[in-house]
Amino acid sequence: MKRAFLKAPFTVEIRDVDREPTGPDEAVLKVMACGVCGSDVNAAYANREFHPFGHELSGIVEEIGAHVSNVKMGDRVAMESSSYCGTCPACRNGHPELCENKYVPPYYGFAEQIVVKAQTLVPIHSLSFEEAAIIEPFGVAMDLVDVCDIQLNDHVVVFGAGPIALLAIRLARLKGAGRITVLAHAHSKKRIELAKFYGADRIICTDQESPVEALKGEKVDRILVTTPPVTLKEAVQIASFGCVLCDIGIAKTPQESLCELDINQMHFKRLQLRFSHATPALFFPLCIDLIEKGLVDVKPLITHRFALEDMQEAMTTIRTDKENVGKVLMVEHL
């Protein structure tokens, strides 16, 4: 079967590989759609060797192991990027988000097929395969908003306008945010358009004006940070007394993961700094339900579609066409 491999700088190889054997608790999934994640983009900058990639995927169950009962052949499903075990102390104490023994499937969704434990597979009902490929980043945005605990009429500031930030904007609006301000780069024209579509009231282009100056004197209740760690310094300056800051941004390199924070300022402003890390992946049924009910429309998020054999073009597009890129998918047509 064919599988894509990625290394820096944004170099993709499509290789013929043997499919892994199927275990008794595993299923074989024909991949129908797979999204390019920000972590894949980071790998395209940092990976020194070729690695398979892709974990935001949906597909059709083609084979199941002897012990599999939650899905059957022919089912249309999305794949969780990690699943809680259900048996460790954290899970049994009602905190699956703190699972100590989570299962992480192999991340090679940019392929014709993938073999995973069937526990990761969730029926997608009436959703298209493309919509279902958005469920994984949607769940990440859900975790971010949930951890931040947005309250009615809050002024929410969102750092970044990538796919997770865009979905978080819509969720913040559903949560009852009174005002949403988004910080983005001016060149990200499509994502700025999408930010407004999903509910942003104001866009501040950080390459044209200082967000600290632009928001001076305004009450900021909640901050969602999806940008690299260095931006936390500005987030602390923007935050009002009692503000909750929730961070999900990651760095490309260990050096870029370091940042300076004024702890005295955080102390005297009584800030809370929280971190979201959506592993295990939760909220898939809720995300599916919200899309099916029309409360969150993920289709406009998808701006580019490529076949598996064109994944080099897909990654090049992400790197060079920042003005027009929203979410990039690999799609397989029946």
Side-chain angles (χ1 to χ4, degrees):
M1 69 171 195
K2 295 187 183 301
R3 182 183 296 167
F5 291 76
L6 174 71
K7 77 169 186 177
F10 285 78
T11 304
V12 177
E13 282 189 1
I14 307 298
R15 300 177 182 176
D16 287 308
V17 299
D18 293 329
R19 196 190 77 192
E20 290 75 9
T22 309
D25 60 348
E26 293 181 324
V28 178
L29 196 65
K30 176 180 173 60
V31 180
M32 298 302 297
C34 187
V36 180
C37 176
S39 62
D40 297 324
V41 177
N42 282 350
Y45 282 106
N47 278 4
R48 295 184 178 182
E49 304 295 334
F50 278 109
H51 294 283
F53 66 119
H55 59 270
E56 303 176 353
L57 62 98
S58 64
I60 302 170
V61 177
E62 290 194 319
E63 181 182 322
I64 58 173
H67 299 165
V68 173
S69 60
N70 64 310
V71 294
K72 62 184 184 299
M73 291 176 59
D75 280 356
R76 304 167 67 256
V77 297
M79 186 195 81
E80 294 176 340
S81 54
S82 59
S83 299
Y84 61 89
C85 71
T87 59
C88 72
C91 286
R92 290 192 178 277
N93 283 328
H95 290 285
E97 75 279 7
L98 303 178
C99 178
E100 301 166 10
N101 190 35
K102 59 182 172 285
Y103 165 68
V104 180
Y107 282 5
Y108 54 80
F110 293 111
E112 293 178 319
Q113 294 176 314
I114 187 170
V115 180
V116 297
K117 287 188 178 181
Q119 72 186 72
T120 67
L121 303 179
V122 180
I124 60 175
H125 309 306
S126 64
L127 266 60
S128 69
F129 290 113
E130 291 186 3
E131 289 173 306
I134 305 298
I135 296 301
E136 198 279 340
F138 191 4
V140 173
M142 184 77 72
D143 189 80
L144 176 67
V145 171
D146 184 64
V147 170
C148 201
D149 192 27
I150 293 168
Q151 301 294 305
L152 283 172
N153 207 38
D154 275 349
H155 180 190
V156 179
V157 172
V158 181
F159 277 66
I164 290 171
L166 293 169
L167 291 166
I169 292 166
R170 177 58 183 155
L171 290 172
R173 185 59 76 198
L174 290 175
K175 281 277 193 177
R179 188 180 184 200
I180 301 174
T181 300
V182 175
L183 312 184
H185 287 288
H187 62 66
S188 302
K189 293 183 179 179
K190 182 61 180 180
R191 291 181 172 183
I192 289 173
E193 174 189 322
L194 287 167
K196 295 175 181 177
F197 170 80
Y198 284 117
D201 299 293
R202 180 185 180 187
I203 307 293
I204 296 174
C205 295
T206 56
D207 48 339
Q208 296 179 350
E209 61 179 322
S210 164
V212 176
E213 291 300 316
L215 289 165
K216 183 177 291 186
E218 296 191 26
K219 188 176 187 300
V220 175
D221 304 291
R222 295 291 189 273
I223 299 178
L224 304 174
V225 181
T226 71
T227 45
V230 67
T231 56
L232 274 173
K233 184 175 182 179
E234 284 186 322
V236 168
Q237 294 174 297
I238 288 167
S240 300
F241 186 87
C243 181
V244 175
L245 304 87
C246 192
D247 179 83
I248 201 173
I250 57 175
K252 299 183 183 71
T253 67
Q255 293 76 19
E256 292 179 4
S257 69
L258 303 176
C259 66
E260 291 184 355
L261 297 178
D262 187 334
I263 301 302
N264 277 353
Q265 188 177 27
M266 296 177 69
H267 170 78
F268 289 112
K269 290 168 73 172
R270 196 171 182 171
L271 305 183
Q272 294 184 44
L273 177 57
R274 304 174 183 178
F275 291 89
S276 167
H277 182 47
T279 56
L282 303 174
F283 306 117
F284 271 47
L286 175 57
C287 292
I288 291 169
D289 201 34
L290 289 174
I291 297 172
E292 285 188 317
K293 289 178 176 176
L295 292 170
V296 180
D297 185 0
V298 299
K299 293 189 291 294
L301 195 65
I302 304 165
T303 56
H304 294 73
R305 299 163 177 83
F306 296 90
L308 174 60
E309 57 267 27
D310 296 324
M311 282 307 297
Q312 177 63 72
E313 183 183 354
M315 297 306 294
T316 300
T317 298
I318 291 172
R319 187 182 193 182
T320 61
D321 192 14
K322 298 182 185 297
E323 180 176 334
N324 298 304
V325 165
K327 188 69 175 177
V328 174
L329 296 187
M330 181 205 80
V331 295
E332 175 66 32
H333 297 289
L334 288 171

